[in-house]
Each structure stands twice: as structure tokens, then as C-alpha cells.
Amino acid sequence: MAGHLPQSPEPYWRETAELPKFNQLHEDIKVNVVIVGGGITGITAAYLLVKEGVKVALIEADHLLNGTTGHTTAKITAQHGLIYDEIIQHMGQSKARMYYEANTDALQFIEKTVKEQQIDCDFKKQDAYLYASTDQYAMKLEQEWKAYQKLSIEGSLKDSIPFNISVHNALSMTNQAQFHPLKYLAHLLKVITDAGSLIFEHTTAVNVEADSQQAAVLTRNGYRVTGHHVLACSHFPFYEGTGLYSTRMYADRSYILGVKTKESYPGGMYLSVDQPTRSLRSASLNGEDIVLIGGESHKTGQGKDTLEHYEALETFGKKVFQVEDILYRWSAQDLTTLDKIPYIGEITSTKPRVLIATGYRKWGMTNGTAAAHLLTDIVLKKENPYKSLYSPSRFYADPSLKKFFIENADVAKHLVKGKIDLPHKKAEELDVDEGSVVTIDGKRKGAYKDKEGQFHIVDTTCTHVGCEVEWNHGDRTWDCPCHGSRFSYTGEVIEGPAEKPLQKEDHTMLENVTEEDSGY
């Protein structure tokens, strides 16, 4: 029915782009550089490297662009929330200016590539806006505006935006952009394969072996992909080495609706700085504008029923617009580092041939593109002005140390809580298309009853460090509250750091549940 939430979460980007398909890897291969992860970072890095004559193999555990890049809001901007005043306070004005320049360089590279390659990807220049709906955050926007002035960032402080939203302050950053990321990256994939480099889907990397001369990725099927460097561009690093990255980041989920409205969209990209967050931008569907409404961020696996986040965005959308129909809904997962700056570079000082890129904090279009350039320069032994800014080995005492203890105390709390909380609900009480943590034979299990009435039962212990997963109603997944691993309702890994699926329960337990449900 018009105006109601779509039944399944499918991103607008994947529904409106034609993507090539690639085979699974079935043999050992040797190349110059091995890239793990088929999102914007991995594909852009492969594109940059093949243009330099480097032979690349890119491997993806799932379909290409089915991860964070395929679920983005696709704003190409250096305006990343309230960030510049904070960077100045904790790292200094020089580092803040470097962060702005790195992301501005990324925007300009995308724009140049679209023009040179004549890519039809709905690229459009837009001003970006932060807005505040409370006095408290209006003051923070004023501080951020002072940071813009110190850093010579073009923008202005305003008192309104062109929507039915009560605004106390709005801060613009001019000449930013938006696009259709999958149409853009599909073109880069063609360039990569035309140059003779290799791409494999459904090929899961599970480990790395590296020495002073080369590095090899080991796949789940037992094959080796060997090169001079390995680039781990898989959102969460599939291989942490001794970098302890799962203790140095936290996972955050946010939600997006694609809606058709009666009124025309006034232009611009918007993000609230108050909580709960609200994001607005337009997109094109069959020659007409639709509006992408985002927000409702929370730590993965924690908080209220996730379907309520979609419903909150629906309520907001109907207050601001005359909504004719809700065409799409989907969610995205992002990783935030201790100091909010991504980790890009050598995974550890002892493994210089293994490079990582992670922790984009919802701003992967520019950070991911900047990462691809930095990784490429490291491989080619070129100087890059942003290497020290993004170095994974950095560790600022303030606020990083405090944040480190807070995040890991949160992990410990959820690890203990999950072990002592025995649910009261039983599997036989589930309705069709309902999932829940349940008790079966006195043990904590995860159960989902599909639309055909079949049960799917898994052990709820996450295979990463043993925290207990929770049911994500909005996306029909099992999510870990500790480090953000996500699993399908059948237990398969959707997002790391977990590498192994949840344990599925045997047929005896399934039969017992079915018999109890039938009243036998």
C-alpha cells in the first residue's frame, strides 16, 4: 500500500544499476597486488593501480558492492558532521586542514573521473548543510563555523533551510556533490577488467601470510592469491594481524528510506547535528526526483527494535514532505575509530606489505577514495601528504585512550550480560516472519520462523569473541552488540569481524520445536 514501508530492505542503488558478475576463484594465482573487498576503496585502488600498469586481483566474499558502498547515502563531501572543531582541539589546526584537503581531493578526483570517462552516474554539484534544532547544538554549529574560518573552508552560517523544520542554525559547505555510486564504480570495473586484471566474487579471504618479499591471501576454499602487497579494503579488516582493530573501533547502524514526494526537492544535502540524526538528499528515479531520508544511528546489536528506526524516519518524512509512496528502505553499517579519523596504511609496523583501510564513520565516498589513493601511493612508493594523518599506528592520548577504555568496557558489559540473560520466549511462540532469542531445552538460541513456517535455529554465540547476538527485526539478521558482526537468519556471516558462521542447530532440535508448535 502506498506510504507503507516496503516489506524487504533493498537499497535504491542496487535496484537501479546494472552490475557485472564474476566467477569464484578456483585456483592459486600470482599478481602484483591482491585487493580484498569490492567496495569503493578496493575498486578505486584497483582502477588507480591498473592505470599504472600494475596487475591486480580483487576478491570479494559476496557480490561486488553489496556491502557498505551499496548501502550508502552517497554524499561526496568533506562536511562530515561536527568534526573540524574537534580535530583542531585534539590534533591541531594542521591535521584538521589535512583532513579537509584529503576529502576535497577525493571529491575532485571523482568529478574529474566522471568527466574524463564520461560516466553516466547522476553526478551533481550540491551545497552541503549541517543544521541544529536546539540551542545547545546551535552553539556547537557556531564553534564549527569558527573552525571553518580558521581552516579557510568555504561556507556560511544561516538561520534556515528550505524545509518545514525548525532550525536554530545551519552551516553550509559549498561546492560539494552527490552521485549514484554503483553506476560510477561499475564503469571502473570495466576499465579494470579491460586492462587484464582479475576480479572474483564469492571468494572469502580468511588469512594472510606475509614476509619481507611478498604477501599471500588464503581463501576459505583453500586457494592462495600471492602478490607483492595485500590491500585489506573489506570494511572491517578481514585480517587484523596484531593491530587489535576490533578493540579500536565500534560499529554503528543507520537507516534510509527512499520516498516519492508531491513537492519538488529544493536542492542541497542536509544533516542534522542533534539526536536523533536526520539526513536528506535527492536521487533520480525514471527521470524524477525522489528523496533519501536517513538517520536513526545506534550501535550495532544494541537499542530498541530496529523496525522502529524505519518507522521513525517514516514519521519524520511525512512531517516534512507530502509523501506519495515509500519506495525503498535499507540500512547501513559503519565503523568509527577512537579519534574519528580512518585507519589507512600499514596494518602494523612489522607487516609493511599488508595495508588496511577502515573506519570511515559514514563518510566512505570521500574517505574511501582518499584511502585508495594513499594505498596506491604506498604500493608505488610515492609520497602522499596524508600518510601520517591516517596512519593506523597513531594513538593520541586524548581522547583516544579514554575512548578505548569506554568502548571496551561496553564490550565487556554486553559479553557478561548476554551470558546471564536467559530469554523467556520459546520458539513455538514465534509468528510467521518473526525472529527472537529464545529458550530451547534450557539453552539460549536464536530462532526465525520464515514465511513458509519453517524454523531456522542458530546458536547465538558470536564466533568472533563469544558475545551473544541479538535479533535485528528491521533487516532479519543476527547482530553482535560487541564488535558489530552480523549474520543472516541462517547464520551466515554478512559483516565482520567474525569469519565463521553461527552454529546451526541439528534437525532433532528443529523437529522438537515443530512438534511443540503443532501441539503434538
Side-chain angles (χ1 to χ4, degrees):
M1 185 181 296
H4 285 208
L5 290 172
Q7 189 168 11
S8 298
E10 296 294 339
Y12 157 78
W13 313 117
R14 290 192 63 83
E15 292 257 316
T16 53
E18 292 185 13
L19 296 174
K21 294 182 179 179
F22 298 92
N23 294 328
Q24 188 177 27
L25 178 67
H26 289 296
E27 61 181 343
D28 294 347
I29 57 173
K30 290 187 177 181
V31 292
N32 299 128
V33 176
V34 187
I35 300 176
V36 180
I40 191 168
T41 305
I43 293 172
T44 306
Y47 170 78
L48 293 169
L49 287 165
V50 300
K51 289 187 71 177
E52 296 289 335
V54 177
K55 180 72 175 290
V56 169
L58 187 155
I59 65 174
E60 164 60 44
D62 191 14
H63 297 289
L64 290 172
L65 299 167
N66 198 37
T68 303
T69 300
H71 292 75
T72 178
T73 56
K75 298 176 180 178
I76 317 171
T77 177
Q79 189 183 67
H80 297 173
L82 295 170
I83 188 67
Y84 290 104
D85 180 59
E86 185 172 340
I87 297 176
I88 290 172
Q89 296 301 321
H90 296 300
M91 302 178 202
Q93 192 166 317
S94 175
K95 286 286 194 292
R97 178 67 194 184
M98 286 173 67
Y99 185 80
Y100 171 72
E101 289 178 354
N103 285 279
T104 299
D105 287 352
L107 188 163
Q108 291 171 351
F109 169 80
I110 292 172
E111 182 176 11
K112 180 182 177 183
T113 303
V114 169
K115 289 179 179 177
E116 288 182 349
Q117 297 284 330
Q118 296 183 328
I119 305 173
D120 181 11
C121 62
D122 305 329
F123 182 91
K124 185 184 294 185
K125 297 298 285 287
Q126 300 275 7
D127 289 348
Y129 296 85
L130 300 175
Y131 69 90
S133 300
T134 63
D135 289 336
Q136 177 188 0
Y137 279 90
M139 292 176 62
K140 291 185 177 184
L141 273 187
E142 290 174 8
Q143 287 299 115
E144 189 73 358
W145 169 230
K146 290 177 182 177
Y148 280 26
Q149 293 172 303
K150 289 177 185 177
L151 300 172
S152 300
I153 296 175
E154 291 186 13
S156 61
L157 197 64
K158 304 174 184 293
D159 59 7
S160 65
I161 57 176
F163 300 103
N164 181 28
I165 300 173
S166 176
V167 169
H168 290 232
N169 263 332
L171 178 59
S172 70
M173 184 180 288
T174 58
N175 291 315
Q176 306 302 291
Q178 64 186 42
F179 70 157
H180 191 307
L182 272 58
K183 291 180 179 179
Y184 168 77
L185 292 166
H187 183 93
L188 301 195
L189 288 170
K190 185 177 185 305
V191 175
I192 294 163
T193 53
D194 286 351
S197 282
L198 307 171
I199 299 176
F200 300 95
E201 293 182 311
H202 308 292
T203 301
T204 304
V206 295
N207 204 357
V208 171
E209 293 179 356
D211 57 30
S212 60
Q213 301 299 316
Q214 63 182 20
V217 171
L218 309 183
T219 72
R220 182 168 291 164
N221 291 343
Y223 299 109
R224 297 172 66 89
V225 189
T226 306
H228 300 302
H229 287 87
V230 169
L231 277 51
C233 306
S234 54
H235 188 47
F236 191 99
F238 77 96
Y239 170 75
E240 291 190 74
T242 54
L244 299 173
Y245 289 96
S246 60
T247 69
R248 297 167 58 197
M249 296 188 290
Y250 67 87
D252 186 271
R253 292 204 70 73
S254 54
Y255 301 81
I256 304 168
L257 300 181
V259 306
K260 183 179 179 182
T261 63
K262 290 183 180 180
E263 64 267 58
S264 59
Y265 188 82
M269 305 179 297
Y270 303 83
L271 178 69
S272 69
V273 292
D274 310 88
Q275 295 296 324
T277 55
R278 295 289 182 262
S279 167
L280 295 169
R281 64 153 286 190
S282 63
S284 179
L285 182 65
N286 300 323
E288 296 182 351
D289 275 351
I290 64 170
V291 181
L292 304 186
I293 303 172
E296 288 289 302
S297 62
H298 66 91
K299 283 190 176 181
T300 301
Q302 302 183 28
K304 61 188 179 183
D305 183 338
T306 52
L307 194 62
E308 293 181 26
H309 294 292
Y310 287 112
E311 292 168 346
L313 291 181
E314 178 184 13
T315 299
F316 170 79
K318 289 179 177 178
K319 284 182 179 178
V320 176
F321 302 100
Q322 298 180 69
V323 174
E324 288 187 343
D325 201 0
I326 302 175
L327 305 171
Y328 301 95
R329 72 172 175 93
W330 71 94
S331 65
Q333 180 149 310
D334 294 275
L335 295 166
T336 299
T337 69
L338 297 175
D339 58 16
K340 300 182 181 178
I341 306 294
Y343 299 135
I344 307 166
E346 298 171 357
I347 192 165
T348 64
S349 59
T350 59
K351 288 189 170 61
R353 293 195 175 274
V354 183
L355 310 178
I356 66 158
T358 188
Y360 298 158
R361 196 178 65 93
K362 296 186 173 70
W363 302 106
M365 298 300 97
T366 51
N367 272 321
T369 301
H373 280 82
L374 176 50
L375 298 179
T376 298
D377 286 346
I378 293 172
V379 168
L380 299 177
K381 298 182 179 178
K382 293 182 178 180
E383 291 295 319
N384 185 293
Y386 312 119
K387 187 174 181 179
S388 63
L389 172 70
Y390 290 117
S391 172
S393 62
R394 72 182 185 274
F395 198 90
Y396 295 99
D398 182 23
S400 297
L401 192 60
K402 179 181 178 182
K403 193 69 174 175
F404 176 84
F405 287 120
I406 290 172
E407 293 305 328
N408 286 285
D410 184 62
V411 168
K413 178 187 75 174
H414 282 278
L415 180 61
V416 173
K417 182 176 182 293
K419 301 300 181 187
I420 61 176
D421 281 357
L422 192 63
H424 300 294
K425 193 158 192 168
K426 296 182 179 180
E428 60 268 25
E429 298 171 357
L430 294 177
D431 293 329
V432 169
D433 194 27
E434 182 183 7
S436 180
V437 177
V438 298
T439 299
I440 300 177
D441 295 336
K443 297 178 181 178
R444 190 183 199 272
K445 301 295 176 185
Y448 170 69
K449 188 175 182 180
D450 67 24
K451 295 174 184 178
E452 284 71 45
Q454 297 295 312
F455 284 94
H456 304 269
I457 298 179
V458 296
D459 191 302
T460 57
T461 302
C462 179
T463 55
H464 179 225
V465 295
C467 295
E468 299 298 317
V469 299
E470 298 292 341
W471 178 246
N472 176 336
H473 181 194
D475 297 327
R476 300 183 184 92
T477 58
W478 295 105
D479 297 356
C480 179
C482 292
H483 299 114
S485 296
R486 299 179 64 236
F487 306 84
S488 68
Y489 62 76
T490 58
E492 301 303 315
V493 177
I494 296 175
E495 303 221 31
E499 297 176 1
K500 297 178 181 178
L502 297 175
Q503 180 181 322
K504 298 179 184 180
E505 295 304 334
D506 59 30
H507 292 294
T508 304
M509 180 169 286
L510 290 171
E511 289 168 2
N512 288 344
V513 170
T514 304
E515 288 175 4
E516 291 171 10
D517 188 39
S518 301
Y520 293 155

